[in-house]
Amino acid sequence: MKGTFRSLHSYNYRVWASGAIVSNIGTWMQRIAQDWLVLTQLTHKNAAAVGIVMALQFGPQLGLLPITGFTADHLDRRKMLFATQAALGALALGLGILTITGRVQLWEVYVFALLLGCVTAFDAPARQTFVSDIVGEKDLSNAVALNSTSFNAARMIGPAIAGLLIAAIGTGWVFVLNAASFCAVLCSLTFLRVNELHPRHHAERTRAGLVEGFRYVFARPDLRTILVMLFLIGTFGLNFPIFISTMAVTVFHAGAGRYGFLTSTMAIGSVTGALLAARRAQPYFTLLIAAAAMFGIGLMVASVLPSYWLFGLALIAIGVSAQTFTTSTNSFMQLSTEPKMRGRIVAIFLAIAMGGTPIGAPIVGWVADTFGPRWALGVGAAAGLTAAALGVRYLVKYRNLCVRIEGKRLRIDMDDIALSSDSADASRHAA
């Protein structure tokens, strides 16, 4: 446990984590309230409408990718976070006021989702890479995993609270409470010891700066494979608002409280996966393949379970595998890239993880509406298994890399060189 929470030895990280957990709880409360508002109040159980909201909310991650990665590498991340977090709080407050007054309409939710996505597109890369400014390279993998633990602990607490509050005071007040939660992050940014932040490697401002991140990725077969796997799972598999809401409402005929409970149940697995990731010194490619396979199998099993409680238990296993995959992918990409490229690489990671939603969410929502929620889960299962198969294909091709040196064959395990910032240099060094 000492190794698992080692980043908390840093004062700055403790302050940052304290503000983040409060804000994360508020964010998950809003997500549940927003899905419930669209699914039950503004439409008649229309999963496609939930998919459109998700597409609008996560689409800007992909559309604004060149700009967001560039700003995360070149601008002061702390100042950026002051601006983006304040803007996110203002948007939550605006939607809350519209909902409380009874004036909210579906198209207005679409607009707020799009604006929220635009701000988040700038916020997410800065927030993810700001962790390296707080803890430095040594504890970066641990800090990334603890951030995921915080986010998923909030996923366990926030939906349960949201379900109770929706039933007691309505969805509008949940949005207002989320707006208030952003004050915690703004306070934590204020109280950081700026002189103790780790120095950054600033990237040079060049015309090619916007595309350097893509060139860097295309030159790395390991990163290319991981991003394709992430695209499949992120686009068709990480549509849990659709999966859980439609299963809860359509199949199990559950209310807001039981819907929130299912999301919290899945978060138990997500927290477990994040804590396991925090214990690891570094992520391995084989772990990503195993997690993708477990994710696909978990969704396949969940799609045929007959009862609410068995479905909830399956969500725990799905949460472990999904969090293991995403957290390990995040850590792998940050640790295996040069510091001056990190903002752009993380922006690509986030854009693919969330930016595929505009493609996948409407498709998954349409499948749920047309064929039923269980078939929508099957789409996610197919994505996970296909991603695992692509990972195996990469290992078959690259894992047992053989080179000839002075007439002799030398076997190199890719796990040993995967965390180098340059695969070619790593191969020569190993040789």
Coordinates of all heavy atoms in Angstrom, one line a residue, residues 303-345:
S303 N -24.4 -9.4 -21.6 CA -25.5 -9.3 -22.6 C -26.5 -10.4 -22.5 O -27.6 -10.2 -23.0 CB -24.9 -9.2 -24.0 OG -24.4 -10.5 -24.4
V304 N -26.2 -11.5 -21.8 CA -27.1 -12.6 -21.8 C -27.6 -12.9 -20.3 O -28.4 -13.8 -20.1 CB -26.5 -13.9 -22.3 CG1 -26.2 -13.7 -23.8 CG2 -25.3 -14.3 -21.6
L305 N -27.2 -12.1 -19.4 CA -27.6 -12.3 -18.0 C -29.1 -11.9 -17.8 O -29.5 -10.9 -18.3 CB -26.7 -11.5 -17.0 CG -25.2 -12.0 -17.0 CD1 -24.4 -11.1 -16.1 CD2 -25.2 -13.5 -16.5
P306 N -29.8 -12.8 -17.0 CA -31.2 -12.6 -16.9 C -31.7 -11.6 -15.8 O -32.8 -11.2 -15.9 CB -31.7 -14.0 -16.6 CG -30.6 -14.6 -15.9 CD -29.4 -14.0 -16.4
S307 N -30.9 -11.3 -14.8 CA -31.4 -10.5 -13.7 C -30.5 -9.3 -13.5 O -29.4 -9.2 -13.9 CB -31.3 -11.4 -12.4 OG -30.0 -11.6 -12.0
Y308 N -31.2 -8.3 -12.8 CA -30.5 -7.0 -12.5 C -29.3 -7.2 -11.6 O -28.2 -6.6 -11.9 CB -31.6 -6.2 -11.7 CG -31.0 -4.9 -11.1 CD1 -31.1 -3.7 -11.9 CD2 -30.6 -4.9 -9.8 CE1 -30.6 -2.5 -11.3 CE2 -30.1 -3.7 -9.3 CZ -30.1 -2.5 -10.0 OH -29.7 -1.4 -9.5
W309 N -29.3 -8.1 -10.6 CA -28.2 -8.3 -9.7 C -27.0 -9.0 -10.4 O -25.9 -8.6 -10.2 CB -28.6 -9.0 -8.5 CG -29.7 -8.3 -7.7 CD1 -31.0 -8.6 -7.6 CD2 -29.5 -7.1 -7.0 NE1 -31.7 -7.6 -6.8 CE2 -30.7 -6.7 -6.4 CE3 -28.4 -6.3 -6.7 CZ2 -30.9 -5.6 -5.7 CZ3 -28.5 -5.1 -5.9 CH2 -29.8 -4.8 -5.4
L310 N -27.3 -10.0 -11.2 CA -26.2 -10.6 -12.0 C -25.6 -9.7 -12.9 O -24.3 -9.7 -13.1 CB -26.7 -11.9 -12.7 CG -27.1 -13.1 -11.9 CD1 -27.7 -14.2 -12.7 CD2 -25.9 -13.6 -11.1
F311 N -26.4 -8.8 -13.6 CA -25.8 -7.8 -14.5 C -24.9 -6.8 -13.7 O -23.8 -6.5 -14.2 CB -27.0 -7.0 -15.1 CG -26.5 -6.0 -16.1 CD1 -26.0 -6.3 -17.3 CD2 -26.6 -4.6 -15.8 CE1 -25.6 -5.4 -18.3 CE2 -26.2 -3.7 -16.7 CZ -25.7 -4.0 -17.9
G312 N -25.3 -6.5 -12.5 CA -24.5 -5.6 -11.7 C -23.1 -6.2 -11.3 O -22.1 -5.6 -11.3
L313 N -23.2 -7.5 -11.0 CA -21.9 -8.2 -10.7 C -21.0 -8.3 -11.9 O -19.8 -8.1 -11.8 CB -22.2 -9.7 -10.2 CG -22.8 -9.8 -8.9 CD1 -23.2 -11.3 -8.6 CD2 -21.9 -9.3 -7.8
A314 N -21.6 -8.5 -13.1 CA -20.8 -8.5 -14.3 C -20.1 -7.1 -14.6 O -19.0 -7.1 -15.1 CB -21.7 -8.9 -15.5
L315 N -20.8 -6.1 -14.2 CA -20.3 -4.7 -14.4 C -19.0 -4.5 -13.6 O -18.2 -3.7 -14.0 CB -21.3 -3.7 -14.0 CG -22.5 -3.5 -15.0 CD1 -23.5 -2.5 -14.5 CD2 -22.0 -3.1 -16.4
I316 N -18.9 -5.2 -12.5 CA -17.7 -5.1 -11.7 C -16.5 -5.6 -12.5 O -15.4 -5.0 -12.6 CB -17.8 -5.9 -10.3 CG1 -18.9 -5.2 -9.5 CG2 -16.5 -5.9 -9.6 CD1 -19.2 -6.0 -8.2
A317 N -16.6 -6.8 -13.1 CA -15.5 -7.4 -13.9 C -15.2 -6.5 -15.1 O -14.1 -6.3 -15.5 CB -15.9 -8.8 -14.3
I318 N -16.3 -6.0 -15.7 CA -16.1 -5.1 -16.9 C -15.4 -3.8 -16.4 O -14.5 -3.3 -17.2 CB -17.5 -4.7 -17.5 CG1 -18.1 -6.0 -18.1 CG2 -17.3 -3.7 -18.6 CD1 -19.5 -5.8 -18.5
G319 N -15.7 -3.3 -15.3 CA -15.0 -2.1 -14.8 C -13.5 -2.3 -14.5 O -12.7 -1.5 -14.8
V320 N -13.2 -3.5 -14.0 CA -11.8 -3.8 -13.7 C -11.0 -3.8 -15.1 O -9.9 -3.2 -15.2 CB -11.6 -5.2 -13.0 CG1 -10.1 -5.6 -13.0 CG2 -12.2 -5.1 -11.6
S321 N -11.6 -4.5 -16.0 CA -10.9 -4.7 -17.3 C -10.8 -3.4 -18.1 O -9.7 -3.0 -18.6 CB -11.5 -5.8 -18.2 OG -12.9 -5.4 -18.4
A322 N -11.9 -2.6 -18.1 CA -11.9 -1.3 -18.8 C -10.9 -0.4 -18.2 O -10.1 0.3 -18.9 CB -13.3 -0.7 -18.8
Q323 N -10.8 -0.3 -16.9 CA -9.9 0.6 -16.2 C -8.5 0.2 -16.4 O -7.6 1.0 -16.5 CB -10.3 0.8 -14.7 CG -9.6 1.9 -14.0 CD -10.0 3.2 -14.7 OE1 -11.1 3.5 -15.1 NE2 -9.0 4.1 -14.9
T324 N -8.2 -1.1 -16.3 CA -6.9 -1.6 -16.5 C -6.4 -1.2 -17.9 O -5.2 -0.8 -18.1 CB -6.8 -3.1 -16.3 OG1 -7.2 -3.5 -15.0 CG2 -5.4 -3.7 -16.6
F325 N -7.2 -1.4 -18.9 CA -6.8 -1.0 -20.2 C -6.6 0.4 -20.4 O -5.5 0.8 -20.9 CB -7.9 -1.5 -21.2 CG -7.6 -1.2 -22.7 CD1 -6.7 -2.0 -23.4 CD2 -8.1 -0.1 -23.3 CE1 -6.4 -1.7 -24.7 CE2 -7.8 0.2 -24.6 CZ -6.9 -0.6 -25.3
T326 N -7.5 1.3 -20.0 CA -7.4 2.7 -20.2 C -6.2 3.3 -19.4 O -5.5 4.2 -19.9 CB -8.7 3.5 -20.0 OG1 -9.1 3.2 -18.6 CG2 -9.8 3.1 -21.0
T327 N -6.1 3.0 -18.1 CA -5.1 3.5 -17.3 C -3.7 3.1 -17.8 O -2.8 3.9 -17.8 CB -5.3 3.1 -15.8 OG1 -6.6 3.5 -15.4 CG2 -4.2 3.7 -14.9
S328 N -3.6 1.8 -18.1 CA -2.3 1.3 -18.6 C -1.9 1.9 -19.9 O -0.7 2.2 -20.1 CB -2.3 -0.2 -18.7 OG -2.6 -0.8 -17.4
T329 N -2.9 2.1 -20.7 CA -2.6 2.8 -22.0 C -2.1 4.2 -21.8 O -1.2 4.7 -22.4 CB -3.9 2.8 -22.9 OG1 -4.3 1.5 -23.2 CG2 -3.6 3.5 -24.2
N330 N -2.8 5.0 -20.9 CA -2.4 6.3 -20.6 C -1.0 6.4 -20.1 O -0.1 7.2 -20.5 CB -3.4 6.9 -19.6 CG -3.2 8.4 -19.3 OD1 -2.2 9.0 -19.7 ND2 -4.2 9.0 -18.7
S331 N -0.7 5.5 -19.1 CA 0.7 5.5 -18.5 C 1.7 5.1 -19.5 O 2.8 5.7 -19.6 CB 0.7 4.5 -17.3 OG -0.2 4.9 -16.3
F332 N 1.4 4.1 -20.3 CA 2.3 3.6 -21.4 C 2.7 4.7 -22.3 O 3.9 5.0 -22.6 CB 1.7 2.5 -22.1 CG 2.6 1.8 -23.1 CD1 3.2 0.6 -22.7 CD2 2.9 2.3 -24.3 CE1 4.1 -0.1 -23.6 CE2 3.7 1.7 -25.2 CZ 4.3 0.5 -24.9
M333 N 1.7 5.5 -22.8 CA 1.9 6.5 -23.8 C 2.7 7.7 -23.2 O 3.5 8.3 -23.8 CB 0.6 7.0 -24.4 CG -0.1 5.9 -25.1 SD -1.4 6.4 -26.2 CE -0.4 7.2 -27.5
Q334 N 2.4 8.1 -21.9 CA 3.1 9.2 -21.3 C 4.6 8.8 -21.0 O 5.5 9.6 -21.2 CB 2.4 9.6 -20.0 CG 1.1 10.3 -20.2 CD 0.8 11.3 -19.1 OE1 1.6 12.1 -18.7 NE2 -0.4 11.2 -18.6
L335 N 4.8 7.6 -20.5 CA 6.1 7.2 -20.1 C 7.0 6.8 -21.3 O 8.2 6.9 -21.2 CB 6.1 5.9 -19.2 CG 5.6 6.2 -17.7 CD1 5.3 4.9 -17.0 CD2 6.6 7.0 -17.0
S336 N 6.4 6.5 -22.4 CA 7.2 6.1 -23.6 C 7.4 7.2 -24.6 O 7.9 6.9 -25.7 CB 6.5 4.9 -24.3 OG 5.3 5.3 -24.8
T337 N 7.0 8.4 -24.2 CA 7.2 9.5 -25.2 C 8.1 10.6 -24.5 O 8.3 10.7 -23.3 CB 5.9 10.2 -25.5 OG1 5.2 10.6 -24.3 CG2 5.0 9.2 -26.3
E338 N 8.7 11.4 -25.4 CA 9.6 12.5 -24.9 C 8.8 13.5 -24.2 O 7.6 13.8 -24.6 CB 10.3 13.1 -26.1 CG 11.2 12.1 -26.8 CD 11.8 12.8 -28.1 OE1 11.7 14.0 -28.2 OE2 12.3 12.1 -29.0
P339 N 9.3 14.1 -23.1 CA 8.5 15.0 -22.3 C 8.0 16.2 -23.1 O 6.8 16.7 -22.9 CB 9.5 15.5 -21.2 CG 10.4 14.4 -21.0 CD 10.5 13.7 -22.4
K340 N 8.8 16.7 -24.1 CA 8.3 17.9 -24.9 C 7.2 17.5 -25.8 O 6.5 18.4 -26.3 CB 9.5 18.4 -25.6 CG 10.1 17.6 -26.7 CD 11.2 18.2 -27.4 CE 11.8 17.3 -28.5 NZ 12.9 18.0 -29.2
M341 N 7.0 16.2 -26.1 CA 5.9 15.8 -27.0 C 4.7 15.3 -26.2 O 3.6 15.0 -26.8 CB 6.4 14.6 -27.8 CG 7.5 14.9 -28.8 SD 7.0 16.1 -30.1 CE 5.8 15.1 -30.9
R342 N 4.8 15.3 -24.9 CA 3.8 14.6 -24.1 C 2.4 15.2 -24.2 O 1.4 14.4 -24.3 CB 4.2 14.6 -22.6 CG 3.4 13.7 -21.7 CD 4.1 13.5 -20.4 NE 5.2 12.7 -20.5 CZ 6.3 12.7 -19.7 NH1 6.4 13.6 -18.7 NH2 7.3 11.9 -19.9
G343 N 2.3 16.5 -24.3 CA 0.9 17.1 -24.4 C 0.2 16.7 -25.6 O -1.0 16.4 -25.6
R344 N 0.9 16.7 -26.8 CA 0.3 16.3 -28.0 C 0.0 14.8 -28.1 O -1.1 14.4 -28.6 CB 1.3 16.6 -29.2 CG 1.2 18.1 -29.6 CD 2.4 18.6 -30.4 NE 3.5 18.8 -29.5 CZ 4.7 19.3 -29.9 NH1 4.8 19.6 -31.1 NH2 5.7 19.4 -29.0
I345 N 0.8 14.0 -27.5 CA 0.5 12.5 -27.5 C -0.7 12.2 -26.6 O -1.5 11.4 -26.9 CB 1.8 11.7 -27.0 CG1 3.0 12.0 -27.9 CG2 1.5 10.3 -26.9 CD1 2.7 11.6 -29.3

